[in-house]
Amino acid sequence: MEGRLLFCPKWHNALCVGILMTFFIFQGANTEITCRSCWVGNQGLARELLLQFESASGLKEEVFGHNDGAERSWAAGAGTRRLRRASLPAERAPHRAEELRHMRNTDDHVGERHFSNIQQCNSSGGACKKRPRRSRDDSRVGHPGRRETRSELRWRGEERRVGGSSQDELKLNSSTFALTGDSSHNQAMVHWSGHNSSVILMLTKLFDFNLNSVTESSLWRSTDYGATYQKLNDKVGAKTILSYLYVSPNNKRKIMLLTDPEVESSLLISSDEGATYQKYRLTFYILSLLFHPEQEDWILAYSHEQKLYSSVEFGRRWQLVHERVAPNRFYWSKMGLDKEPGLIHLETTISEGQALYVTCKLQNCTDANKVKPFPGYIDPNSLVVQDEYVFVQVSTAGKPIYYVSAKRDVFTPMKLPKYALPKDLHVISTDENRVVAAVQEWNQNETYNLYVSDTSGVYYTMALENVVSSMGPEGNMMVDLYEVAGIKGMFLANKKTDKQVKTYITYNRGRDWRLLQAPSKDLRGNSIHCMLPYCSLHLHLHVSANPYTSGNIASRDSAPGIIVASGSFGSELSNSNVSVYITSDAGNTWRQIFSEEYAVLYLDQGGALVAIRHTPLPIRHLWLSFDEGRQWNKYSFISTPLFVDGVLGEPGEETLIMTIFGHVSHRSEWQLVKIDFRSIFNRRCTEADYQTWHLHNQGEPCLMGVKRIYRKLKPTSRCVMGKLYSVSMVSGPCDCTEADFECDYGYERRTDGKCSPAFWFQPSVMSRRCTTGMTFLNSTGYRKVVSNNCTAGVIVEYTARRQQCPMQAPKGLHLVTSEGTLTAALGTNVTFLVFLEQGDGTRTSITLDFGDGHALTYSNLSSIEDGIKYIYKTAGIYRVTALGENSLGSETAILYLHITCQLEYIHLSAPFVAVRNKEVNLTAVLWPSQVGTATYIWWIGNNTELRNFLFLSMVNLHKQGFSQRAIDAKVGCGATIILHFLKDPEHYGTKKSTCRPQKMAPALSLRI
């Protein structure tokens, strides 16, 4: 399951000097939104998350970070009813390197730190949480007049005890490097190539919040895993101010640096991991970038003018693709689904409430080459292209209708249960050939219902009700849903029941959910009396999308069954008395490992765990466990305590090297501490160090239709698994049981566990879409859970049966134009499209009456799939009628089409002399006479009022989003006049204008 639809986890304590970045998501050192679902080109590289916190001056700082693809919770865009992605939304961020921002205090109090609420929202989706705000005084260490907490005293005392020299103290192999001269810089972006590369790039910046721009920058490069760094300002230009760092997701050696547009608009490109650069000027300002998922040199760039540009030379040359493109609504094609690799999916803005979904070629996006996959207009900001599905939204009379296309086929309305009245819908996930959607219904305010679809993405059934949601920092709605890495079909979710939030777990993709059993003992070995269902374990499901800040929960593909999360036990989820818990058997049993909040990182494919305490105080120790968190040993990583701003691990699951970012004081340079954990392991793992582990759910070994046996490291083994290690799993099929099937669309599970038709559903309607002579699947009320691999058993009894399609009368006939409009110019081709919701299209004849005395009849719908083209020869309003008919009945659809032509001139005939209080005949003659509907404005007297009336109408129509052509049709002025008037309304008319009465010629005046 997945994110904009969106999903976003949230939060984290940030130091005023920086975010307490403890990136414990070691995957990939590069990172932007929107959920895997959101941007295909950004996979695994740039999932962007917005963090914001207040400085001492009250200014808000925004922090963009990135997400590890291994962890997913879900977010949905909120606000108006628009189709969102789980990162959604979001909004779309560039392929940026991981970004760290911190603020240094300008007060004279050394060691003073400021905290505020920090929100994090994962682009893949998730839950957001605010941590309690800490005031300036509360963060002051040893400040007179403030009473220190017991936790603080205990922590400081512990640091003093270990601070002195001790022969027994365990030490890690580390080295420290100071970024000299960057003490004033408050932001940093880091890229670690990884994958057998020792190169790290770091861009530090001074961001002025008053000017809202970068005023200084430094570029640093390390070639020895972060032990030392070289300053590269001279290579990029001593006076060049850099704002962003981008990396190709397909070739980590290719680097792109963007300069601050306030100074100069250019970019610098490197093809050797940042060793050398070439500068290229830009003619536009880049807001975001979208890299192609396969072609390393193909990039889409979105500008502040809503223009989309493309480059096939990694930014060296750009060309305009399209104007008026909706932000974050452009997508690369997907191989195997789209016809060409260079195809782009776009949402283009037509007017304030109208948009179009178009596709075109990368370097040839002309009007002649555009394709409109969806007939007619769509709602603005509603296009979502994700995997094999495309979603759009169309509102009719204020009611949104959601359409889906699977495998680039025709669009079909999404079918939710009839009683569902959605006021907000977000696409969460589209993996495994099904759609997961978060729907907020009319009676919900803080929760969403999760629905899952069949493979077509059309028919939806309920998976879980009342999943907790919260508002993210960018107005995105985030739902508490977490997909466990390494175990297919396993999810955790926070559900609100009777005003209490409880954590539930599923092992079969939402078919069944249960509460978590709390640990039997606490850290001191005391028994915990917590009996289901009155008391259970509840977890905070907040995944950090920032690589420097830890989330509340973590799991890894390379360590199946191991989940670390913070939470509490009791009757409901609590934000107080939060502890850290771990499970080694995929959620069946849990153990408490810390009584306070710690960030836990995975080392060596999960063979070891590292923990760092969340604290505003300087530290010099971390904790290591080699037995899945049963025992922890304290290690020092630096001699002088350090304010930790963040941690960055070597890309890849095999992390054994990491860098801690911090500072000794709030005015010191960045201190980069490289830690090499390889020295604490004395040997390579052998086969004798591994054991088998059977996945189960409370003793049931058959999950998702198979029995799975994993190979994992023994808790007693202390060895290095290394980069060559891969997760080994043996699986065997299980016989199908009723538990392998979920209720089909239109069916609901009763108290006896059986699926029966819902009160609103008639099973016979499922066959109405098929064609006579063909076959359809007649549902038994059940459908197999997606990705379930069970065989035999009850599979025949529960699987839908194929039957012959019955003959049906036509129903739901629709008639529209290909442009989605009800007007057309005289002499142009008008294309009519006819759709039939139900009935046999091959045996239903279609008669189209054009309303001008001409009509055409077609034997079936298949012969007019590309539309019916017709040219009107006379202007006017025509009643166009489509009639679908077969032996069982008929259906009619009607539209009124306004055919217009350009009015060339008008002749006014009036008597030269009139008698007071007597009627006078005034005659207006139009040319051409057949112009269709014309609006006559008769104004007798002051011509200035006429001018003001017409021009005011033009201004109002322009503000409403009408095109010049539409204004011309309504006002009656020529297109050229309207064009010149809209350029300068205030001064237009100082010269003679055809839109106002001309002054009377002297000869005519003499005649009168």
Side-chain angles (χ1 to χ4, degrees):
M1 292 185 171
E2 258 204 338
R4 226 246 182 245
L5 173 157
L6 207 105
F7 98 57
C8 295
K10 5 182 178 187
W11 85 153
H12 209 342
N13 280 346
L15 309 181
C16 188
V17 182
I19 316 172
L20 177 58
M21 305 184 314
T22 26
F23 169 43
F24 312 128
I25 309 174
F26 274 164
Q27 288 259 16
N30 231 32
T31 46
E32 174 202 349
I33 189 176
T34 39
C35 79
R36 140 193 153 12
S37 35
C38 305
W39 314 109
V40 177
N42 295 347
Q43 282 305 314
L45 224 178
R47 302 265 173 92
E48 184 167 77
L49 181 63
L50 176 66
L51 309 178
Q52 69 178 24
F53 56 93
E54 294 180 0
S55 69
S57 60
L59 296 174
K60 285 190 175 180
E61 176 171 5
E62 295 182 343
V63 182
F64 290 88
H66 310 275
N67 179 32
D68 171 8
E71 303 187 42
R72 303 174 188 167
S73 47
W74 312 112
T80 57
R81 288 181 291 185
R82 294 282 182 267
L83 270 178
R84 311 269 185 175
R85 293 146 305 164
S87 219
L88 294 149
E91 299 288 359
R92 188 168 201 168
H95 262 290
R96 296 191 269 221
E98 270 106 84
E99 182 169 359
L100 155 68
R101 304 187 183 185
H102 85 219
M103 294 182 61
R104 294 206 165 92
N105 187 13
T106 57
D107 291 353
D108 294 330
H109 300 290
V110 178
E112 178 175 324
R113 312 190 77 153
H114 304 271
F115 289 72
S116 69
N117 293 333
I118 290 188
Q119 285 189 326
Q120 287 192 183
C121 175
N122 186 312
S123 58
S124 312
C128 294
K129 167 191 174 184
K130 286 187 179 180
R131 297 194 179 221
R133 177 173 183 145
R134 299 179 183 170
S135 68
R136 170 181 299 187
D137 291 338
D138 288 341
S139 61
R140 201 173 292 179
V141 179
H143 180 68
R146 186 183 70 89
R147 176 174 295 179
E148 295 175 311
T149 64
R150 290 183 179 180
S151 176
E152 252 182 15
L153 288 170
R154 182 173 66 252
W155 181 251
R156 292 182 61 202
E158 183 178 6
E159 286 299 312
R160 283 196 297 267
R161 286 196 300 273
V162 300
S165 60
S166 173
Q167 296 179 353
D168 299 331
E169 184 177 65
L170 299 174
K171 297 182 179 180
L172 292 170
N173 183 13
S174 64
S175 61
T176 304
F177 186 88
L179 300 184
T180 306
D182 286 359
S183 59
S184 63
H185 290 191
N186 54 13
Q187 298 177 359
M189 302 182 72
V190 185
H191 164 65
W192 192 338
S193 293
H195 308 290
N196 300 320
S197 174
S198 60
V199 174
I200 302 176
L201 284 176
M202 186 171 184
L203 171 63
T204 65
K205 303 176 288 183
L206 173 59
F207 188 86
D208 190 314
F209 293 93
N210 293 317
L211 299 177
N212 196 33
S213 65
V214 179
T215 57
E216 293 181 16
S217 67
S218 296
L219 183 64
W220 300 83
R221 184 173 186 263
S222 172
T223 57
D224 52 10
Y225 292 97
T228 60
Y229 288 81
Q230 177 188 4
K231 199 168 187 178
L232 302 182
N233 284 28
D234 292 339
K235 292 190 176 182
V236 298
K239 296 183 179 181
T240 299
I241 298 178
L242 303 174
S243 57
Y244 289 109
L245 169 64
Y246 301 83
V247 186
S248 169
N250 303 300
N251 184 349
K252 301 296 180 63
R253 294 179 60 84
K254 292 190 174 182
I255 311 294
M256 182 183 295
L257 297 169
L258 202 62
T259 62
D260 190 326
E262 298 294 332
V263 180
E264 63 172 325
S265 185
S266 61
L267 53 83
L268 295 95
I269 296 174
S270 172
S271 299
D272 52 10
E273 290 188 287
T276 60
Y277 293 89
Q278 292 178 308
K279 181 179 284 190
Y280 297 86
R281 295 288 182 180
L282 290 174
T283 58
F284 60 96
Y285 172 36
I286 294 178
L287 286 182
S288 64
L289 296 179
L290 182 65
F291 289 79
H292 194 277
E294 297 173 358
Q295 301 291 336
E296 63 184 54
D297 291 335
W298 291 14
I299 310 174
L300 294 177
Y302 188 73
S303 78
H304 67 292
E305 297 176 330
Q306 292 189 324
K307 295 180 180 180
L308 187 67
Y309 296 83
S310 68
S311 174
V312 294
E313 301 178 57
F314 198 70
R316 292 173 176 84
R317 291 184 181 85
W318 297 90
Q319 74 173 47
L320 180 65
V321 176
H322 206 288
E323 296 182 349
R324 303 196 72 183
V325 176
N328 310 321
R329 304 293 172 172
F330 47 93
Y331 309 83
W332 286 110
S333 58
K334 187 174 179 64
M335 290 295 293
L337 290 174
D338 295 290
K339 297 179 181 179
E340 300 180 33
L343 201 68
I344 308 173
H345 300 262
L346 304 171
E347 178 186 310
T348 62
T349 303
I350 302 302
S351 63
E352 184 177 349
Q354 294 179 322
L356 281 177
Y357 165 34
V358 300
T359 61
C360 61
K361 296 179 181 179
L362 174 64
Q363 293 183 299
N364 191 17
C365 195
T366 61
D367 290 337
N369 292 312
K370 290 179 189 176
V371 177
K372 299 174 183 176
F374 184 82
Y377 293 122
I378 65 175
D379 289 354
N381 299 314
S382 71
L383 174 65
V384 175
V385 181
Q386 188 168 311
D387 295 327
E388 64 183 55
Y389 299 96
V390 181
F391 305 88
V392 297
Q393 173 182 313
V394 178
S395 294
T396 304
K399 180 182 178 181
I401 301 175
Y402 306 101
Y403 290 85
V404 61
S405 166
K407 297 181 179 179
R408 307 302 188 258
D409 204 347
V410 297
F411 280 88
T412 306
M414 297 166 64
K415 304 289 186 181
L416 294 170
K418 286 292 179 65
Y419 57 77
L421 298 174
K423 62 181 180 181
D424 200 14
L425 183 147
H426 308 275
V427 177
I428 297 293
S429 162
T430 54
D431 58 355
E432 300 288 350
N433 297 318
R434 76 164 182 178
V435 179
V436 178
V439 177
Q440 189 172 62
E441 302 190 28
W442 65 274
N443 61 336
Q444 293 178 308
N445 293 317
E446 298 178 351
T447 61
Y448 279 73
N449 294 337
L450 292 181
Y451 288 88
V452 295
S453 76
D454 60 352
T455 56
S456 70
V458 174
Y459 297 99
Y460 291 79
T461 58
M462 179 83 73
L464 187 64
E465 289 184 291
N466 295 320
V467 179
V468 175
S469 68
S470 58
M471 190 67 68
E474 293 236 350
N476 302 326
M477 187 58 65
M478 295 166 286
V479 295
D480 278 18
L481 179 66
Y482 177 80
E483 180 174 5
V484 178
I487 299 179
K488 183 174 65 174
M490 184 175 174
F491 292 83
L492 292 161
N494 283 331
K495 174 183 176 180
K496 179 174 283 189
T497 305
D498 297 329
K499 298 183 179 181
Q500 292 183 325
V501 177
K502 301 175 183 287
T503 300
Y504 289 79
I505 189 171
T506 179
Y507 294 84
N508 53 11
R509 286 192 167 270
R511 196 275 190 191
D512 300 293
W513 298 85
R514 67 170 174 84
L515 294 168
L516 299 178
Q517 178 64 60
S520 58
K521 296 181 181 297
D522 61 15
L523 280 176
R524 297 179 178 85
N526 300 321
S527 297
I528 296 177
H529 301 285
C530 187
M531 302 297 293
L532 294 172
Y534 310 103
C535 176
S536 59
L537 179 64
H538 311 288
L539 305 177
H540 294 283
L541 306 179
H542 313 144
V543 177
S544 173
N546 190 320
Y548 302 101
T549 54
S550 66
N552 288 119
I553 185 168
S555 59
R556 287 292 176 274
D557 287 323
S558 61
I562 301 178
I563 308 171
V564 183
S566 62
S568 59
F569 62 86
S571 60
E572 63 178 328
L573 181 64
S574 173
N575 289 324
S576 60
N577 299 321
V578 176
S579 299
V580 182
Y581 300 87
I582 190 171
T583 176
S584 301
D585 57 4
N588 286 282
T589 60
W590 294 82
R591 291 177 280 110
Q592 185 182 14
I593 57 176
F594 294 107
S595 59
E596 297 176 284
E597 289 197 72
Y598 279 72
V600 180
L601 303 77
Y602 289 71
L603 285 182
D604 186 35
Q605 313 268 19
L609 300 174
V610 178
I612 300 180
R613 186 173 184 257
H614 287 312
T615 173
L617 306 174
I619 63 174
R620 66 185 195 91
H621 293 92
L622 49 75
W623 283 255
L624 279 169
S625 174
F626 304 94
D627 56 1
E628 298 178 347
R630 292 175 177 85
Q631 291 184 343
W632 293 87
N633 298 315
K634 178 183 285 189
Y635 288 79
S636 65
F637 64 89
I638 193 172
S639 58
T640 303
L642 189 74
F643 289 102
V644 175
D645 296 319
V647 180
L648 180 65
E650 178 185 9
E653 296 282 0
E654 70 284 351
T655 299
L656 285 172
I657 299 175
M658 72 180 187
T659 298
I660 293 181
F661 299 82
H663 52 281
V664 177
S665 70
H666 299 284
R667 296 184 179 181
S668 68
E669 295 87 358
W670 291 89
Q671 303 290 322
L672 308 183
V673 183
K674 171 195 171 183
I675 303 177
D676 192 339
F677 292 96
R678 290 175 294 186
S679 61
I680 63 176
F681 298 95
N682 51 22
R683 63 184 180 86
R684 286 275 181 179
C685 295
T686 64
E687 195 62 35
D689 293 306
Y690 296 94
Q691 64 181 1
T692 58
W693 170 65
H694 297 251
L695 175 65
H696 66 93
N697 174 17
Q698 296 182 322
E700 173 55 56
C702 286
L703 301 177
M704 296 296 289
V706 294
K707 296 178 181 179
R708 282 173 276 183
I709 303 175
Y710 294 87
R711 186 184 72 153
K712 60 190 303 185
L713 197 66
K714 293 179 181 179
T716 57
S717 296
R718 183 169 174 177
C719 56
V720 176
M721 292 188 288
K723 298 182 179 181
L724 299 180
Y725 168 79
S726 61
V727 176
S728 177
M729 182 192 71
V730 178
S731 62
C734 296
D735 289 342
C736 291
T737 65
E738 190 269 343
D740 295 305
F741 295 82
E742 61 189 3
C743 292
D744 203 352
Y745 172 76
Y747 292 80
E748 295 178 347
R749 196 173 300 279
R750 305 303 180 186
T751 54
D752 60 359
K754 302 295 183 181
C755 294
S756 303
F759 69 91
W760 51 266
F761 181 69
Q762 296 180 356
S764 60
V765 302
M766 297 297 291
S767 65
R768 293 180 182 175
R769 293 184 59 82
C770 64
T771 302
T772 304
M774 306 297 289
T775 59
F776 76 103
L777 292 174
N778 188 15
S779 176
T780 61
Y782 297 85
R783 66 188 185 196
K784 186 188 283 189
V785 175
V786 173
S787 301
N788 189 297
N789 295 316
C790 70
T791 57
V794 299
I795 191 169
V796 175
E797 178 183 350
Y798 284 86
T799 302
R801 301 173 180 86
R802 189 163 293 281
Q803 297 181 0
Q804 291 291 322
C805 292
M807 183 70 172
Q808 301 176 65
K811 186 177 180 181
L813 190 67
H814 297 275
L815 174 63
V816 297
T817 63
S818 60
E819 297 293 331
T821 62
L822 297 178
T823 62
L826 184 67
T828 60
N829 252 324
V830 181
T831 302
F832 296 97
L833 302 176
V834 182
F835 302 96
L836 186 62
E837 287 188 4
Q838 299 174 9
D840 185 358
T842 60
R843 300 191 181 184
T844 299
S845 64
I846 300 295
T847 300
L848 191 62
D849 187 338
F850 299 104
D852 62 349
H854 296 84
L856 293 174
T857 300
Y858 299 86
S859 59
N860 54 60
L861 273 173
S862 59
S863 60
I864 56 174
E865 288 183 350
D866 296 331
I868 302 171
K869 293 182 171 58
Y870 189 73
I871 299 176
Y872 286 89
K873 298 182 178 179
T874 307
I877 298 178
Y878 295 91
R879 184 177 187 266
V880 185
T881 306
L883 172 66
E885 189 173 20
N886 62 23
S887 59
L888 296 181
S890 62
E891 181 86 350
T892 302
I894 299 172
L895 68 78
Y896 289 89
L897 186 65
H898 186 185
I899 302 298
T900 62
C901 70
Q902 184 69 36
L903 177 64
E904 295 184 12
Y905 62 83
I906 181 173
H907 174 73
L908 177 63
S909 176
F912 295 120
V913 179
V915 179
R916 191 173 185 177
N917 296 327
K918 294 291 185 178
E919 292 183 356
V920 174
N921 289 328
L922 304 177
T923 304
V925 179
L926 308 182
W927 180 260
S929 59
Q930 300 291 337
V931 294
T933 302
T935 301
Y936 294 85
I937 301 174
W938 296 87
W939 204 278
I940 312 297
N942 192 329
N943 60 10
T944 302
E945 295 184 19
L946 173 60
R947 174 182 181 273
N948 293 340
F949 175 81
L950 291 175
F951 286 1
L952 183 61
S953 299
M954 282 191 262
V955 171
N956 290 335
L957 291 172
H958 181 63
K959 289 181 179 179
Q960 295 175 25
F962 284 88
S963 64
Q964 295 176 15
R965 185 174 181 178
I967 296 175
D968 178 18
K970 290 181 175 291
V971 177
C973 294
T976 302
I977 295 173
I978 295 172
L979 174 64
H980 289 297
F981 169 73
L982 293 177
K983 285 183 178 179
D984 190 4
E986 294 184 2
H987 300 93
Y988 184 82
T990 55
K991 297 182 180 179
K992 186 171 70 174
S993 170
T994 57
C995 261
R996 61 181 181 179
Q998 298 181 9
K999 293 183 179 180
M1000 192 174 299
L1004 180 58
S1005 178
L1006 182 61
R1007 289 177 57 192
I1008 293 175

